[in-house]
Amino acid sequence: MMTKDLQSFIRFLSVERGLSRNTLESYERDLQQFVDYLQQQGITAWKDTGKTHIAGYLSQMKMLGRASATLSRNMVSIRALYQYLVKERVMDSDPSIYVDAPKLEKKLPKVLSIGEVEKLLDAPQPEHVSGARDKAMLELLYATGIRVSELISLNVTDINLQMGFIRCIGKADKERNIPLSSIAIRCLTTYIHNYRMKLLKKTADEEALFIGHLGTRMTRQGFWKILKKYANEMNIANEITPHALRHSFAAHLIENGADLRSVQEMLGHSDISSTQMYVQVTKLKMKEVYNLAHPRAKL
């Protein structure tokens, strides 16, 4: 019965909330683990669960070494499920409101140095088909700070090379126009006019801007493999993540005097507090430079 209610909740999220397949799978995975835990405790009905069971489950996950971000995500899933169960009259009240959410560790984003960015952007060989594409992708990411998911969602019609900007659809379908650097325009022009058609295999009317090895739209996994390959080739010491160039774009702009509101708009952040973390990054770098360079810093 508990599993049946869980499946009803997942259908509700799909139909009523219109959540993506990845998000639905995340909810289902988290909550199935919670159901498994409850059944191990001899619980067979939701009405028999309470705050002690939720707290016990989170405690067990913590003992298993789960990260605080994982615990927090699980708590969000559990609360959403209980709200649904109360709404559907499966339960009279929501016990999750009496359980404190795990505190998230605030980690500053990993930012590449300007030298590391230059090494990464110079790694592809633009005289080859895949190299021209990779060069255009990396230059575009660093020029605009868009997310990888936004990069691979771009269509050819989203690029205005004459005006020098891209049209990007971000989270919650919010549209933003972001200017392009002159080098990004040159690399995109070369890729689109000389190489993109050579990557197409199945259909010439593919709308996607960036084409993967199968001749269709580049995937997130495909881009991630490309990024790691160039990072390894260039022996970049900093840890590379899919958002490495986005974080570096924002930090370098602020470091060089860009105002916070403009950076927030380009990144597509709904809350400026999300953008302010890059100020912390630049302050941390400033302190490191001071400690290394000032003759009396370590006296």
Side-chain angles (χ1 to χ4, degrees):
M1 188 63 182
M2 297 179 79
T3 301
K4 185 179 178 181
D5 290 327
L6 172 56
Q7 292 304 317
S8 295
F9 172 60
I10 299 301
R11 283 195 297 274
F12 164 78
L13 293 178
S14 175
V15 176
E16 299 294 330
R17 299 278 181 85
L19 300 185
S20 69
R21 184 170 59 107
N22 287 342
T23 303
L24 292 172
E25 288 175 355
S26 178
Y27 268 102
E28 187 168 16
R29 184 170 56 251
D30 290 346
L31 293 171
Q32 188 57 58
Q33 290 175 358
F34 180 49
V35 169
D36 292 343
Y37 168 82
L38 293 174
Q39 291 177 341
Q40 288 168 9
Q41 308 302 309
I43 305 293
T44 57
W46 290 109
K47 63 182 178 59
D48 296 327
T49 63
K51 64 178 183 179
T52 55
H53 300 104
I54 301 170
Y57 172 66
L58 295 174
S59 178
Q60 183 186 80
M61 291 191 71
K62 191 172 183 180
M63 288 175 61
L64 291 171
R66 301 291 187 268
S68 58
T70 302
L71 296 178
S72 181
R73 190 195 68 224
N74 271 260
M75 191 63 207
V76 169
S77 299
I78 289 169
R79 281 188 171 156
L81 172 62
Y82 274 112
Q83 288 170 6
Y84 170 80
L85 294 174
V86 171
K87 180 183 176 183
E88 294 297 309
R89 301 180 185 274
V90 175
M91 295 191 67
D92 295 327
S93 61
D94 176 5
S96 71
I97 62 174
Y98 303 107
V99 181
D100 292 331
K103 291 184 179 179
L104 278 174
E105 298 172 8
K106 290 187 177 180
K107 292 183 179 179
L108 293 178
K110 297 277 185 178
V111 171
L112 302 176
S113 68
I114 293 175
E116 287 173 326
V117 169
E118 289 176 347
K119 284 172 66 177
L120 186 62
L121 298 185
D122 289 340
Q125 298 178 356
E127 63 273 14
H128 298 124
V129 177
S130 60
R133 176 203 60 198
D134 299 347
K135 175 75 170 171
M137 285 195 299
L138 294 177
E139 289 287 358
L140 177 56
L141 275 181
Y142 185 58
T144 61
I146 60 175
R147 302 172 179 90
V148 174
S149 58
E150 295 168 343
L151 174 82
I152 62 176
S153 297
L154 288 173
N155 293 327
V156 176
T157 52
D158 293 323
I159 307 295
N160 190 323
L161 295 173
Q162 287 187 326
M163 297 297 292
F165 70 85
I166 65 167
R167 171 182 172 270
C168 176
I169 306 297
K171 291 183 176 180
D173 291 331
K174 288 184 179 178
E175 180 180 327
R176 63 191 194 277
N177 293 314
I178 311 169
L180 291 167
S181 65
S182 56
I183 189 169
I185 293 173
R186 289 199 303 272
C187 292
L188 282 165
T189 301
T190 300
Y191 164 67
I192 293 171
H193 292 168
N194 301 335
Y195 294 103
R196 180 179 172 274
M197 289 299 292
K198 294 179 182 179
L199 288 165
L200 291 170
K201 294 177 182 177
K202 294 186 177 180
T203 173
D205 59 1
E206 170 65 62
E207 295 181 342
L209 174 61
F210 294 113
I211 308 301
H213 70 281
L214 296 177
T216 54
R217 186 180 295 274
M218 172 71 67
T219 64
R220 187 182 179 88
Q221 293 79 7
F223 173 80
W224 177 220
K225 289 178 182 177
I226 291 167
L227 182 65
K228 284 185 71 176
K229 181 190 77 169
Y230 290 126
N232 290 334
E233 287 178 2
M234 295 296 103
N235 293 316
I236 295 175
N238 241 320
E239 182 185 348
I240 294 287
T241 67
H243 273 344
L245 289 173
R246 175 174 168 84
H247 294 323
S248 303
F249 160 86
H252 295 167
L253 277 179
I254 292 171
E255 189 178 327
N256 286 287
D259 70 277
L260 211 56
R261 289 291 180 186
S262 296
V263 177
Q264 176 193 5
E265 187 173 340
M266 285 185 279
L267 290 174
H269 285 160
S270 56
D271 190 339
I272 200 166
S273 64
S274 299
T275 317
Q276 285 172 331
M277 66 179 176
Y278 296 108
V279 177
Q280 297 298 111
V281 171
T282 56
K283 284 182 178 179
L284 185 63
K285 182 182 176 184
M286 191 186 303
K287 187 174 181 180
E288 289 174 355
V289 170
Y290 177 88
N291 287 337
L292 286 171
H294 197 284
R296 299 181 69 84
K298 294 182 180 179
L299 293 180

